[in-house]
Amino acid sequence: MKVDLNTFEGLSTPYYILEEQRLRNNLRLISSVAQRAGVEIILAFKAYALWKTFPIFREYISSTTASSLSEARLAAEEFGSKAHTYSPAYTDYEIDEIARCSSHLTFNSLSQYERFHERVKQQNAALSLGLRVNPEYSEVGTALYNPCAPGTRFGVTADKLPDVLPADIEGFHCHCHCESGADVFQRTLVHIEQKFSRWFQQLKWINFGGGHLMTRRDYDVELLVGMMRDFRRRYPHLKVILEPGSAFAWQTGPLVAQVVDIVEDRGIRTAILNVSFTCHMPDCLEMPYMPDVRGAETVELSNVSVGTDAAPEMAPALLPSTTPHLYRLGGNSCLSGDFMGYWRFDHELRVGENVIFEDMIHYTTVKTCTFNGITHPGIALAHADGEMEILREFGYEDYKNRMD
């Protein structure tokens, strides 16, 4: 069916809608950066794994990165190339198959390396082994996403590395970013080189991880390209790898939901939707952050604590008479905190109309769940001509099978 990509009028059930033209725009930019900088940029499945769109990706990139057996299998079986794999801890019962599905395998610790390095080479003689290292520097402000925070479980610090690396260690993996700019990478790279450059001559590759949000409008692409060219001039023998996730799917499509009911308590109006923040937009609650809603303005109300039992006299700005068209948006699960607010619309919301959450493809479609048995939104690919191709719809069996 054809849809209006501005309003999505005609939809009566929720969908994540990936817009092909926006995706291709991102892929073209990423491919250009890789060619100009002389680096390899690969897709991180932890942010995006809609495998039915992999044929589009294969037009622009050739590899992916995995952090689990399922992701490694997806790379080998659906993307068509073995994965660059890293996991905080490999297990006895999965490591052999992971090795067979991987081209690169990075260990999180020296103890994991000692335990498994000979075994994985028996499974895949061509496997290139690496170590994750921790430069003890990151500018990620949210503790939940800071991989270099004190006490981190990620990576080996420089003081714990031997002067001569094991002979079969060919690369370092270093991840320090989260939706960061090139200027952050520039400052971080100084610390990486200060800590680890004395080992670079022993390596064949270095993976600078994810979080390089090169498709964001204000990202300094030229700084990134220049920085990587300079790095490669300093270390011409090193292959450089970047593995962003969000950058590929950044601003490529919304989650379209519908208003099911409107309730009011103590001057607070909540539009209840047929989607759930906790089930379908979990990063909004985890980060937390307020997603953009098409046609609505985010309103900050400093005198109201979200989730508290505020009395009307404590929240005069919420009263409909003083703030027209102001709504909290609520999910349809039984979790009390499954809501966010507040947004001001330019009209009174009506039952059945669409509410469009922007930029809900990356780190959302991969993290959703069926908590409370809430019906999962469908997944669709919108082509440039407005034709909407249904990639997947979900029902009772999807919920039931998770309980098997």
Side-chain angles (χ1 to χ4, degrees):
M1 64 173 151
K2 284 208 171 186
V3 295
D4 183 325
L5 297 183
N6 292 314
T7 66
F8 297 99
E9 186 177 354
L11 293 183
S12 58
T13 57
Y15 281 94
Y16 297 101
I17 300 179
L18 173 65
E19 298 182 37
E20 181 181 358
Q21 191 57 52
R22 293 187 180 192
L23 176 64
R24 286 187 180 276
N25 290 342
N26 285 353
L27 286 164
R28 277 192 286 268
L29 185 147
I30 290 168
S31 177
S32 171
V33 169
Q35 292 174 16
R36 293 168 57 208
V39 304
E40 183 175 20
I41 303 178
I42 63 181
L43 169 66
F45 283 163
K46 70 176 183 177
Y48 180 99
L50 297 181
W51 59 270
K52 289 185 178 179
T53 65
F54 287 173
I56 298 174
F57 279 76
R58 286 302 303 264
E59 296 177 30
Y60 302 89
I61 65 170
S62 58
S63 297
T64 60
T65 180
S67 297
S68 64
L69 173 56
S70 292
E71 287 187 343
R73 284 190 59 182
L74 193 70
E77 296 174 11
E78 298 298 339
F79 199 87
S81 62
K82 293 185 176 183
H84 294 237
T85 304
Y86 159 80
S87 173
Y90 298 106
T91 59
D92 274 314
Y93 50 87
E94 292 183 336
I95 186 65
D96 294 334
E97 191 171 2
I98 286 175
R100 291 192 292 269
C101 293
S102 302
S103 61
H104 297 65
L105 191 144
T106 297
F107 293 102
N108 185 61
S109 66
L110 289 166
S111 57
Q112 282 256 300
Y113 164 80
E114 290 292 344
R115 182 178 178 186
F116 290 123
H117 76 106
E118 292 180 351
R119 180 171 163 182
V120 296
K121 278 302 189 85
Q122 290 172 358
Q123 298 296 325
N124 181 356
L127 198 58
S128 181
L129 303 184
L131 278 177
R132 177 159 176 170
V133 293
N134 174 13
E136 303 172 83
Y137 178 87
S138 174
E139 297 185 21
V140 176
T142 303
L144 183 66
Y145 301 108
N146 186 347
C148 299
T152 182
R153 69 190 194 280
F154 297 134
V156 183
T157 52
D159 61 303
K160 294 183 173 65
L161 287 175
D163 290 336
V164 178
L165 296 172
D168 55 354
I169 291 294
E170 297 183 339
F172 277 170
H173 176 109
C174 188
H175 176 65
C176 310
H177 302 100
C178 178
E179 297 185 356
S180 303
D183 58 325
V184 177
F185 186 23
Q186 185 178 46
R187 292 189 292 271
T188 305
L189 187 57
V190 173
H191 291 264
I192 294 172
E193 290 193 63
Q194 286 176 346
K195 293 278 187 178
F196 298 108
S197 61
R198 68 188 181 100
W199 286 282
F200 284 178
Q201 287 302 321
Q202 302 177 44
L203 303 176
K204 294 181 179 179
W205 53 265
I206 187 164
N207 184 328
F208 288 119
H212 309 278
L213 195 49
M214 60 193 74
T215 51
R216 188 176 61 200
R217 186 171 301 170
D218 62 348
Y219 189 94
D220 192 341
V221 170
E222 297 308 315
L223 176 60
L224 174 65
V225 170
M227 190 176 9
M228 291 296 90
R229 284 176 173 171
D230 289 343
F231 183 88
R232 291 180 57 248
R233 277 193 286 268
R234 293 195 296 276
Y235 311 102
H237 69 290
L238 282 181
K239 179 179 180 178
V240 177
I241 304 162
L242 304 178
E243 51 176 41
S246 295
F248 283 94
W250 187 256
Q251 296 289 346
T252 55
L255 171 59
V256 180
Q258 289 79 38
V259 178
V260 176
D261 195 11
I262 297 171
V263 298
E264 182 174 334
D265 182 61
R266 303 195 182 196
I268 299 174
R269 287 179 300 179
T270 301
I272 301 178
L273 310 174
N274 53 3
V275 296
S276 161
F277 286 100
T278 191
C279 294
H280 309 135
M281 296 173 277
D283 271 359
C284 294
L285 299 181
E286 288 179 4
M287 185 70 144
Y289 80 96
M290 288 277 287
D292 289 334
V293 174
R294 192 171 302 182
E297 173 192 3
T298 302
V299 177
E300 297 290 340
L301 297 173
S302 59
N303 62 333
V304 176
S305 297
V306 174
T308 64
D309 197 21
E313 61 269 23
M314 296 295 291
L318 294 182
L319 296 177
S321 60
T322 58
T323 309
H325 317 319
L326 185 72
Y327 296 89
R328 175 190 284 174
L329 297 179
N332 58 345
S333 79
C334 294
L335 176 69
S336 297
D338 188 5
F339 66 86
M340 296 198 77
Y342 298 85
W343 287 267
R344 182 186 291 114
F345 291 79
D346 61 4
H347 64 282
E348 290 293 319
L349 293 182
R350 305 177 309 278
V351 170
E353 75 171 280
N354 287 338
V355 172
I356 302 170
F357 293 94
E358 304 284 13
D359 197 22
M360 280 294 163
I361 303 298
H362 60 90
Y363 277 108
T364 298
T365 52
V366 292
K367 295 180 74 171
T368 59
C369 69
T370 56
F371 164 70
N372 220 173
I374 303 300
T375 300
H376 197 286
I379 301 175
L381 176 65
H383 300 288
D385 61 0
E387 189 70 29
M388 195 171 90
E389 176 186 350
I390 307 300
L391 300 182
R392 178 72 191 275
E393 291 183 322
F394 300 85
Y396 167 67
E397 293 299 326
D398 298 290
Y399 168 70
K400 180 183 175 184
N401 290 341
R402 290 173 64 92
M403 306 297 116
D404 283 354

